[in-house]
Coordinates of all heavy atoms in Angstrom, one line a residue:
M1 N 138.3 106.0 142.3 CA 137.1 105.6 141.6 C 136.2 106.9 141.5 O 135.6 107.2 140.5 CB 136.3 104.5 142.4 CG 135.1 104.1 141.9 SD 135.4 102.8 140.7 CE 133.8 102.2 140.5
A2 N 136.2 107.7 142.6 CA 135.4 108.9 142.6 C 135.9 109.9 141.6 O 135.1 110.6 140.9 CB 135.4 109.5 144.0
V3 N 137.2 110.0 141.4 CA 137.8 110.9 140.4 C 137.3 110.5 139.0 O 137.0 111.4 138.2 CB 139.3 110.9 140.5 CG1 139.9 111.7 139.4 CG2 139.8 111.4 141.9
V4 N 137.3 109.2 138.7 CA 136.9 108.8 137.4 C 135.4 109.2 137.2 O 135.0 109.7 136.1 CB 137.1 107.3 137.2 CG1 136.5 106.8 135.9 CG2 138.6 106.9 137.3
L5 N 134.5 108.9 138.1 CA 133.1 109.3 138.0 C 132.9 110.8 137.8 O 132.1 111.2 137.0 CB 132.3 108.7 139.2 CG 132.2 107.2 139.3 CD1 131.5 106.8 140.6 CD2 131.4 106.7 138.1
I6 N 133.7 111.5 138.6 CA 133.6 113.0 138.4 C 134.0 113.4 137.0 O 133.4 114.3 136.4 CB 134.4 113.7 139.5 CG1 133.7 113.5 140.9 CG2 134.5 115.2 139.2 CD1 134.5 113.9 142.1
A7 N 135.1 112.9 136.5 CA 135.6 113.2 135.2 C 134.6 112.9 134.1 O 134.3 113.6 133.2 CB 136.9 112.5 134.9
V8 N 134.0 111.7 134.2 CA 133.0 111.3 133.2 C 131.7 112.2 133.3 O 131.2 112.6 132.3 CB 132.6 109.8 133.5 CG1 131.4 109.4 132.6 CG2 133.7 108.9 133.1
G9 N 131.3 112.5 134.5 CA 130.2 113.3 134.7 C 130.4 114.7 134.2 O 129.6 115.4 133.6
Y10 N 131.6 115.2 134.4 CA 132.0 116.6 133.9 C 132.0 116.6 132.4 O 131.4 117.5 131.8 CB 133.4 116.9 134.5 CG 133.9 118.3 133.9 CD1 133.4 119.5 134.4 CD2 134.8 118.3 132.9 CE1 133.9 120.7 134.0 CE2 135.3 119.5 132.4 CZ 134.8 120.7 132.9 OH 135.3 121.9 132.5
R11 N 132.5 115.6 131.8 CA 132.5 115.5 130.3 C 131.1 115.4 129.7 O 130.8 116.0 128.7 CB 133.4 114.4 129.8 CG 134.9 114.7 130.0 CD 135.7 113.8 129.3 NE 137.1 114.1 129.6 CZ 138.1 113.7 128.9 NH1 137.9 112.8 127.9 NH2 139.3 114.1 129.2
L12 N 130.3 114.7 130.4 CA 128.9 114.6 129.9 C 128.2 115.9 130.0 O 127.4 116.3 129.2 CB 128.1 113.5 130.6 CG 128.5 112.0 130.3 CD1 127.8 111.1 131.3 CD2 128.2 111.7 128.9
Y13 N 128.4 116.6 131.2 CA 127.8 117.8 131.4 C 128.3 118.9 130.5 O 127.6 119.8 130.0 CB 128.0 118.3 132.9 CG 127.4 119.6 133.2 CD1 126.1 119.8 133.4 CD2 128.3 120.7 133.4 CE1 125.5 121.0 133.7 CE2 127.7 122.0 133.7 CZ 126.4 122.1 133.8 OH 125.9 123.3 134.1
R14 N 129.6 118.9 130.2 CA 130.2 119.9 129.4 C 130.3 119.6 127.9 O 131.0 120.2 127.2 CB 131.7 120.2 129.9 CG 131.8 120.8 131.2 CD 131.7 122.2 131.2 NE 132.6 122.7 130.1 CZ 132.9 124.0 129.9 NH1 132.3 124.9 130.7 NH2 133.7 124.4 129.0
G15 N 129.5 118.6 127.5 CA 129.5 118.1 126.1 C 129.2 119.3 125.2 O 129.2 120.4 125.5
E16 N 128.9 118.9 124.0 CA 128.6 119.9 123.0 C 127.3 120.7 123.2 O 126.9 121.6 122.5 CB 128.5 119.3 121.6 CG 129.8 118.7 121.1 CD 129.7 118.2 119.7 OE1 128.7 118.4 119.0 OE2 130.6 117.4 119.4
G17 N 126.6 120.4 124.3 CA 125.4 121.0 124.6 C 124.2 120.3 124.0 O 124.4 119.4 123.2
S18 N 123.1 120.8 124.3 CA 121.9 120.2 123.7 C 121.8 120.6 122.2 O 122.1 121.7 121.9 CB 120.6 120.6 124.5 OG 120.5 122.0 124.4
P19 N 121.2 119.7 121.4 CA 121.1 120.1 120.0 C 120.1 121.2 119.8 O 119.2 121.4 120.7 CB 120.6 118.8 119.3 CG 120.1 118.0 120.4 CD 120.8 118.4 121.7
A20 N 120.2 122.0 118.8 CA 119.3 123.1 118.5 C 117.9 122.5 118.3 O 117.7 121.5 117.8 CB 119.8 123.9 117.3
P21 N 116.9 123.3 118.8 CA 115.6 122.8 118.6 C 115.2 122.7 117.1 O 115.8 123.5 116.3 CB 114.7 123.9 119.3 CG 115.6 125.1 119.4 CD 117.0 124.6 119.5
P22 N 114.4 121.8 116.8 CA 114.1 121.7 115.3 C 113.4 122.9 114.8 O 112.6 123.5 115.5 CB 113.1 120.5 115.3 CG 112.8 120.1 116.7 CD 113.6 120.8 117.6
R23 N 113.9 123.3 113.6 CA 113.4 124.5 113.0 C 112.2 124.2 112.1 O 112.2 123.1 111.5 CB 114.5 125.3 112.3 CG 115.6 125.7 113.2 CD 116.7 126.3 112.4 NE 116.2 127.6 111.8 CZ 116.9 128.4 111.1 NH1 118.2 128.2 111.0 NH2 116.4 129.5 110.6
R24 N 111.3 125.0 112.0 CA 110.1 124.8 111.1 C 110.0 125.9 110.1 O 110.5 127.0 110.3 CB 108.9 124.7 112.0 CG 109.0 123.5 112.9 CD 107.9 123.4 113.8 NE 108.2 122.3 114.8 CZ 107.4 121.9 115.7 NH1 106.2 122.3 115.8 NH2 107.8 120.9 116.5
D25 N 109.2 125.6 109.1 CA 108.9 126.6 108.0 C 110.2 127.2 107.4 O 110.3 128.4 107.2 CB 108.0 127.7 108.6 CG 106.7 127.2 109.1 OD1 106.2 126.1 108.6 OD2 106.2 127.8 110.1
I26 N 111.1 126.3 107.1 CA 112.3 126.8 106.4 C 112.0 126.6 104.9 O 111.6 125.6 104.4 CB 113.5 125.9 106.8 CG1 113.8 126.2 108.3 CG2 114.7 126.3 105.9 CD1 114.9 125.3 108.8
I27 N 112.4 127.7 104.2 CA 112.2 127.7 102.7 C 113.5 127.8 102.0 O 114.3 128.8 102.3 CB 111.3 128.9 102.3 CG1 109.9 128.7 102.9 CG2 111.2 128.9 100.8 CD1 109.0 129.9 102.7
A28 N 113.8 126.9 101.2 CA 115.1 126.9 100.4 C 114.7 127.2 99.0 O 113.8 126.6 98.4 CB 115.8 125.6 100.5
T29 N 115.3 128.2 98.4 CA 115.0 128.6 97.0 C 116.0 127.9 96.1 O 117.2 128.0 96.3 CB 115.2 130.1 96.9 OG1 114.3 130.8 97.8 CG2 114.8 130.6 95.5
L30 N 115.4 127.2 95.1 CA 116.2 126.6 94.1 C 116.2 127.4 92.8 O 115.2 128.1 92.6 CB 115.7 125.2 93.8 CG 115.7 124.2 95.0 CD1 115.1 122.9 94.6 CD2 117.1 124.0 95.5
P31 N 117.2 127.2 91.9 CA 117.2 127.9 90.7 C 116.0 127.5 89.8 O 115.5 126.4 90.0 CB 118.5 127.5 90.0 CG 119.3 127.0 91.1 CD 118.4 126.5 92.1
K32 N 115.5 128.4 89.0 CA 114.3 128.1 88.2 C 114.6 126.9 87.3 O 115.7 126.7 86.7 CB 114.0 129.3 87.3 CG 112.7 129.2 86.6 CD 112.4 130.5 85.9 CE 110.9 130.4 85.4 NZ 110.4 131.7 85.1
G33 N 113.7 125.9 87.3 CA 113.8 124.7 86.5 C 114.6 123.6 87.2 O 114.8 122.5 86.6
A34 N 115.1 123.9 88.4 CA 115.9 122.8 89.1 C 115.0 121.7 89.6 O 113.8 121.9 89.9 CB 116.6 123.5 90.3
R35 N 115.5 120.5 89.7 CA 114.8 119.3 90.1 C 115.7 118.6 91.1 O 116.8 118.4 90.9 CB 114.5 118.5 88.9 CG 113.7 117.2 89.1 CD 113.4 116.5 87.8 NE 114.6 116.0 87.2 CZ 115.0 114.7 87.4 NH1 114.4 114.0 88.3 NH2 116.1 114.2 86.8
I36 N 115.1 118.2 92.3 CA 115.8 117.5 93.3 C 115.8 116.0 92.8 O 114.8 115.4 92.6 CB 115.2 117.6 94.6 CG1 115.2 119.0 95.1 CG2 115.9 116.7 95.6 CD1 114.5 119.3 96.4
V37 N 117.1 115.5 92.6 CA 117.2 114.1 92.1 C 117.3 113.2 93.3 O 116.7 112.1 93.3 CB 118.5 114.0 91.3 CG1 118.8 112.6 90.8 CG2 118.5 114.9 90.0
S38 N 118.0 113.5 94.3 CA 118.1 112.7 95.5 C 118.5 113.5 96.7 O 119.0 114.6 96.6 CB 119.1 111.6 95.3 OG 120.5 112.1 95.3
T39 N 118.2 112.9 97.9 CA 118.6 113.5 99.2 C 119.2 112.4 100.0 O 118.9 111.2 99.9 CB 117.4 114.1 99.9 OG1 116.5 113.1 100.2 CG2 116.7 115.2 99.2
S40 N 120.2 112.8 100.9 CA 120.8 111.8 101.8 C 121.4 112.6 103.0 O 121.5 113.8 102.9 CB 121.8 110.9 101.1 OG 122.9 111.7 100.6
V41 N 121.8 111.8 103.9 CA 122.5 112.4 105.1 C 123.9 111.7 105.1 O 124.0 110.5 105.1 CB 121.8 112.1 106.4 CG1 122.5 112.6 107.6 CG2 120.4 112.8 106.3
A42 N 125.0 112.5 105.3 CA 126.3 112.1 105.4 C 127.0 112.7 106.6 O 127.3 113.9 106.6 CB 127.1 112.4 104.1
G43 N 127.1 111.9 107.6 CA 127.6 112.5 108.9 C 126.7 113.5 109.4 O 125.5 113.2 109.7
E44 N 127.2 114.7 109.6 CA 126.3 115.8 110.1 C 125.9 116.8 108.9 O 125.7 118.0 109.1 CB 127.0 116.6 111.2 CG 127.4 115.6 112.3 CD 127.3 116.3 113.7 OE1 126.9 117.5 113.7 OE2 127.6 115.7 114.6
R45 N 125.8 116.2 107.7 CA 125.5 117.0 106.5 C 124.2 116.4 105.9 O 124.1 115.2 105.7 CB 126.6 117.1 105.5 CG 127.9 117.7 106.0 CD 127.8 119.2 106.0 NE 129.1 119.8 106.2 CZ 129.3 120.5 107.3 NH1 128.4 120.7 108.2 NH2 130.5 121.1 107.5
L46 N 123.4 117.3 105.4 CA 122.3 117.0 104.5 C 122.7 117.2 103.1 O 123.3 118.3 102.8 CB 121.1 117.8 104.8 CG 119.9 117.7 103.9 CD1 119.3 116.3 104.0 CD2 118.8 118.8 104.3
V47 N 122.6 116.2 102.2 CA 123.1 116.3 100.9 C 122.0 116.3 99.9 O 121.2 115.3 99.9 CB 124.1 115.2 100.6 CG1 124.7 115.3 99.2 CG2 125.2 115.1 101.6
L48 N 121.9 117.3 99.0 CA 120.9 117.3 98.0 C 121.6 117.2 96.6 O 122.6 118.0 96.4 CB 120.1 118.6 98.0 CG 119.3 118.9 99.2 CD1 118.6 120.3 99.0 CD2 118.2 117.9 99.3
T49 N 121.1 116.4 95.7 CA 121.6 116.3 94.4 C 120.6 116.9 93.5 O 119.4 116.5 93.5 CB 121.9 114.8 93.9 OG1 122.8 114.3 94.9 CG2 122.5 114.8 92.6
L50 N 121.0 117.9 92.7 CA 120.0 118.7 91.9 C 120.4 118.5 90.4 O 121.5 118.3 90.1 CB 120.1 120.2 92.2 CG 119.9 120.6 93.7 CD1 120.2 122.1 93.8 CD2 118.5 120.3 94.1
D51 N 119.3 118.6 89.6 CA 119.5 118.6 88.1 C 119.0 120.0 87.7 O 117.8 120.3 87.9 CB 118.7 117.5 87.5 CG 118.8 117.6 85.9 OD1 119.7 118.2 85.4 OD2 117.9 117.1 85.3
I52 N 119.9 120.8 87.3 CA 119.6 122.2 86.9 C 119.8 122.3 85.4 O 121.0 122.6 85.0 CB 120.4 123.2 87.7 CG1 120.2 123.0 89.2 CG2 120.0 124.6 87.3 CD1 121.2 123.8 90.0
G53 N 118.8 122.1 84.6 CA 118.9 122.3 83.2 C 120.0 121.3 82.6 O 120.7 121.7 81.7
G54 N 120.0 120.1 83.0 CA 121.0 119.1 82.5 C 122.3 119.1 83.2 O 123.2 118.3 82.9
V55 N 122.6 120.1 84.1 CA 123.8 120.1 84.9 C 123.6 119.6 86.3 O 122.6 120.0 87.0 CB 124.3 121.6 85.0 CG1 125.6 121.7 85.8 CG2 124.6 122.1 83.6
T56 N 124.4 118.7 86.7 CA 124.3 118.1 88.1 C 125.0 118.9 89.1 O 126.1 119.3 88.9 CB 124.8 116.6 88.1 OG1 124.1 115.9 87.1 CG2 124.6 116.0 89.5
E57 N 124.3 119.2 90.2 CA 124.9 120.0 91.3 C 124.6 119.3 92.6 O 123.5 118.9 92.8 CB 124.4 121.4 91.2 CG 125.0 122.4 92.2 CD 124.5 123.8 92.0 OE1 124.8 124.3 90.9 OE2 123.9 124.3 92.9
I58 N 125.6 119.3 93.5 CA 125.4 118.7 94.8 C 125.5 119.9 95.8 O 126.5 120.6 95.8 CB 126.4 117.6 95.1 CG1 126.2 116.5 94.2 CG2 126.3 117.2 96.6 CD1 127.3 115.4 94.3
R59 N 124.5 120.0 96.6 CA 124.5 121.1 97.7 C 124.5 120.4 99.0 O 123.7 119.5 99.2 CB 123.4 122.0 97.5 CG 123.4 122.9 96.3 CD 122.4 123.9 96.2 NE 122.4 124.6 95.0 CZ 121.7 125.7 94.7 NH1 120.9 126.2 95.6 NH2 121.8 126.3 93.6
T60 N 125.3 120.9 100.0 CA 125.3 120.3 101.3 C 124.9 121.4 102.3 O 125.2 122.5 102.1 CB 126.7 119.7 101.7 OG1 127.7 120.8 101.5 CG2 127.1 118.6 100.8
F61 N 124.2 120.9 103.4 CA 123.8 121.8 104.4 C 124.1 121.1 105.8 O 124.1 119.9 105.9 CB 122.2 121.9 104.4 CG 121.8 122.5 103.1 CD1 121.5 121.8 102.0 CD2 121.6 123.9 103.0 CE1 121.1 122.3 100.8 CE2 121.2 124.5 101.8 CZ 120.9 123.7 100.7
D62 N 124.4 122.0 106.8 CA 124.6 121.5 108.1 C 123.3 120.9 108.6 O 122.2 121.6 108.6 CB 125.1 122.6 109.0 CG 125.4 122.1 110.4 OD1 124.4 122.1 111.2 OD2 126.5 121.8 110.7
A63 N 123.3 119.7 109.1 CA 122.0 119.0 109.5 C 121.4 119.6 110.7 O 120.2 119.6 110.9 CB 122.3 117.5 109.7
R64 N 122.2 120.3 111.6 CA 121.6 120.9 112.8 C 121.0 122.2 112.5 O 119.9 122.5 113.0 CB 122.6 121.0 113.9 CG 123.0 119.6 114.4 CD 124.0 119.8 115.5 NE 124.4 118.4 116.0 CZ 125.2 118.2 117.0 NH1 125.7 119.3 117.6 NH2 125.5 117.0 117.4
T65 N 121.7 123.1 111.8 CA 121.3 124.4 111.6 C 120.6 124.7 110.2 O 120.0 125.7 110.0 CB 122.5 125.4 111.7 OG1 123.4 125.1 110.6 CG2 123.2 125.3 113.0
L66 N 120.8 123.7 109.3 CA 120.3 123.8 107.9 C 121.0 125.0 107.1 O 120.4 125.4 106.1 CB 118.8 123.9 107.8 CG 118.1 122.6 108.4 CD1 116.6 122.8 108.3 CD2 118.5 121.4 107.6
K67 N 122.1 125.5 107.6 CA 122.8 126.5 106.9 C 123.6 125.8 105.7 O 124.2 124.7 105.9 CB 123.8 127.3 107.8 CG 123.1 128.1 108.8 CD 124.0 128.9 109.6 CE 123.3 129.7 110.7 NZ 124.2 130.4 111.5
P68 N 123.8 126.5 104.6 CA 124.5 125.9 103.5 C 126.0 125.7 103.9 O 126.6 126.5 104.6 CB 124.5 127.0 102.4 CG 123.3 127.8 102.7 CD 123.1 127.8 104.2
A69 N 126.5 124.5 103.5 CA 127.9 124.1 103.8 C 128.8 124.0 102.6 O 130.0 124.1 102.7 CB 127.9 122.8 104.6
G70 N 128.2 123.9 101.4 CA 129.0 123.8 100.2 C 128.2 123.5 99.0 O 127.0 123.1 99.1
K71 N 128.9 123.7 97.9 CA 128.2 123.4 96.6 C 129.2 122.8 95.6 O 130.4 123.3 95.6 CB 127.6 124.7 96.0 CG 126.9 124.6 94.7 CD 126.2 125.8 94.1 CE 126.5 127.1 94.8 NZ 125.8 128.2 94.0
L72 N 128.9 121.8 94.9 CA 129.7 121.2 93.9 C 129.0 121.0 92.6 O 127.9 120.4 92.6 CB 130.2 119.8 94.4 CG 131.1 118.9 93.5 CD1 132.4 119.6 93.2 CD2 131.3 117.6 94.2
K73 N 129.5 121.6 91.5 CA 128.8 121.6 90.3 C 129.6 120.7 89.3 O 130.8 120.9 89.2 CB 128.7 123.0 89.7 CG 127.9 123.1 88.4 CD 127.8 124.5 88.0 CE 126.9 125.3 88.8 NZ 126.5 126.7 88.3
F74 N 128.9 119.9 88.5 CA 129.6 119.1 87.5 C 129.2 119.5 86.1 O 128.0 119.7 85.8 CB 129.1 117.6 87.7 CG 129.5 117.0 89.0 CD1 128.7 117.0 90.0 CD2 130.7 116.4 89.1 CE1 129.0 116.4 91.2 CE2 131.1 115.8 90.3 CZ 130.3 115.8 91.4
V75 N 130.1 119.8 85.3 CA 129.9 120.2 83.9 C 130.7 119.4 83.0 O 131.7 118.8 83.3 CB 130.2 121.7 83.7 CG1 129.3 122.6 84.5 CG2 131.6 122.0 84.0
S76 N 130.2 119.2 81.8 CA 130.9 118.4 80.8 C 132.0 119.3 80.1 O 131.9 120.5 80.0 CB 130.0 117.9 79.7 OG 129.0 117.1 80.2
E77 N 133.1 118.6 79.7 CA 134.2 119.3 79.0 C 133.7 119.7 77.6 O 132.9 118.9 77.0 CB 135.4 118.4 78.9 CG 136.1 118.2 80.2 CD 137.4 117.5 80.0 OE1 137.9 117.3 78.9 OE2 138.0 117.1 81.0
P78 N 134.1 120.9 77.1 CA 133.7 121.2 75.8 C 134.3 120.4 74.7 O 135.3 119.8 74.8 CB 134.1 122.7 75.7 CG 135.1 123.0 76.8 CD 134.9 121.9 77.8

């Protein structure tokens, strides 16, 4: 029984650590004329849907650090 409690305590102690403190005053620059259509959270990602001059673009950011994680652009076929 003691071994199980020690193992559980060790895993809790050695977890991913405490989350990063909330950051403030973060400025994200969008392209000129861009408009935020929607925002959402998917797992550990912040998802922004943008309209940039009629072109839809999805940008994802890490929810903890707010660093860019990816970009997906949709364009019409010619």
